[in-house]
Amino acid sequence: MEPIPVLPVELTSDVITNKSSVIKLMAEQSEVYLTDVNKFSADVMQHEQEMETDVLPDIALPHSKSSAVKTPFIVVAKYNQGVIWNNENKVKLIVMIGAPQNANKEHLAIIAKLAANLADDDFIELLLNSDIQTVAEKIRGLYE
């Protein structure tokens, strides 16, 4: 698997209003990998309507295959007080994955590699207790 860019995004209380604002901010920070920030944000939110992505305690994995994505990427954000995601569930770490619309199984391989590591409680604890730069480095290391 080719190295995947992993971008860290700092979340602060003034931008944490809801899930859609966090996804929008993360998409804006990923602009170099996108042809259309608004389209990608909308595609991620559409996928969120179809499937809840806060499947782990404290972690959400929003993702989308989108015609607005030029090349696969991952963007990570963290907010220790938690962001309300679905059904009043608060998540502290958001790992968003973008893949081109024409990506065959590439995005599934990215998700599978991440999910396999997120099955390790020690890895999760490391991510939740690290600063956002370290989180990005640890996730980037999975794909190198």
Side-chain angles (χ1 to χ4, degrees):
M1 181 179 293
E2 288 187 34
I4 307 284
V6 180
L7 310 166
V9 173
E10 293 285 347
L11 296 180
T12 56
S13 60
D14 58 321
V15 297
I16 307 304
T17 55
N18 57 45
K19 173 172 58 174
S20 62
S21 66
V22 171
I23 287 172
K24 176 79 169 168
L25 174 66
M26 293 174 77
E28 288 168 353
Q29 297 296 313
S30 308
E31 186 173 20
V32 67
Y33 303 106
L34 301 171
T35 59
D36 186 332
V37 169
N38 291 326
K39 167 101 172 84
F40 178 69
S41 295
D43 289 346
V44 172
M45 287 304 297
Q46 176 63 40
H47 191 267
E48 285 286 318
Q49 296 298 317
E50 297 165 5
M51 172 189 291
E52 293 182 357
T53 61
D54 55 340
V55 294
L56 295 167
D58 296 321
I59 301 175
L61 302 171
H63 55 280
S64 181
K65 278 177 53 171
S66 172
S67 60
V69 177
K70 296 188 274 190
T71 185
F73 68 92
I74 298 172
V75 59
V76 295
K78 191 173 169 196
Y79 190 66
N80 288 331
Q81 288 75 25
V83 177
I84 294 177
W85 210 254
N86 293 315
N87 304 316
E88 301 304 313
N89 182 37
K90 282 190 173 185
V91 298
K92 296 177 182 176
L93 178 64
I94 301 108
V95 182
M96 188 165 73
I97 301 167
Q101 185 68 44
N102 62 357
N104 293 326
K105 296 192 175 19
E106 190 173 21
H107 81 294
L108 295 176
I110 294 168
I111 294 168
K113 179 96 169 171
L114 183 60
N117 284 276
L118 291 176
D120 179 349
D121 290 340
D122 292 336
F123 186 69
I124 290 174
E125 187 174 337
L126 175 69
L127 296 180
L128 291 175
N129 292 317
S130 296
D131 63 79
I132 195 62
Q133 295 295 334
T134 302
V135 169
E137 290 168 15
K138 295 295 181 192
I139 292 177
R140 187 178 303 114
L142 299 176
Y143 300 97
E144 292 179 339

